[in-house]
Amino acid sequence: RGGGTNNHVGNRRFRMLINTHKSRYYKAPKLDKPKVAREVMSLWREQDPPGRFLCKDLETGLWNDVGDQKSREKASQCLRENLIVTTTIKETAKNEISGWKTRSDLKKHSEKEVQTVG
């Protein structure tokens, strides 16, 4: 996955935008998580020049916009990936997760706790 596209300047900028919203995504109730992803997608698309979500057409070799639904799904996926629990979040989580650092740490615990991540 990723390969050379991970180093594209646009993808690096997108990851920086994602990282500024991970804490808010983590704290959001489950029903609000898609809203956070939509907001990130909108911020990305509203840039000048606009950020885009592209997929390469294997027949033509051209890059095409994937549309809003796939874009929101990608933003959600990126918000969930490699979730780092910061000190601020640890404090608001009432010390239950104070030792957890990544999503894989969360998976070691009960399903109910994992669902709070996303």
Side-chain angles (χ1 to χ4, degrees):
R1 253 181 24 153
T5 59
N6 278 334
N7 295 320
H8 186 277
V9 66
N11 291 333
R12 288 196 314 260
R13 288 181 182 155
F14 181 66
R15 286 193 302 273
M16 286 177 15
L17 175 65
I18 287 290
N19 287 335
T20 64
H21 293 273
K22 280 190 176 192
S23 174
R24 189 165 65 104
Y25 183 84
Y26 174 80
K27 292 177 187 177
K30 187 173 184 173
L31 293 175
D32 290 343
K33 290 183 188 301
K35 179 182 175 188
V36 175
R38 279 191 303 275
E39 290 171 6
V40 168
M41 182 194 72
S42 293
L43 287 170
W44 185 246
R45 289 192 180 273
E46 291 169 1
Q47 297 179 104
D48 186 24
R52 300 177 295 164
F53 295 86
L54 304 174
C55 181
K56 190 172 187 177
D57 183 320
L58 298 177
E59 291 181 22
T60 66
L62 300 175
W63 291 87
N64 300 306
D65 193 289
V66 298
D68 286 344
Q69 176 65 29
K70 288 277 188 191
S71 299
R72 189 198 57 77
E73 291 170 6
K74 185 63 177 178
S76 292
Q77 174 189 358
C78 291
L79 286 163
R80 287 189 305 269
E81 281 182 351
N82 301 320
L83 183 65
I84 303 298
V85 181
T86 64
T87 304
T88 304
I89 295 172
K90 287 179 190 175
E91 291 169 4
T92 61
K94 299 181 182 181
N95 299 327
E96 284 186 34
I97 59 172
S98 62
W100 304 353
K101 301 212 181 320
T102 66
R103 188 175 175 97
S104 62
D105 291 335
L106 295 173
K107 287 180 182 178
K108 294 175 186 171
H109 299 279
S110 74
E111 284 298 313
K112 184 176 180 182
E113 291 166 338
V114 171
Q115 289 174 358
T116 63
V117 177

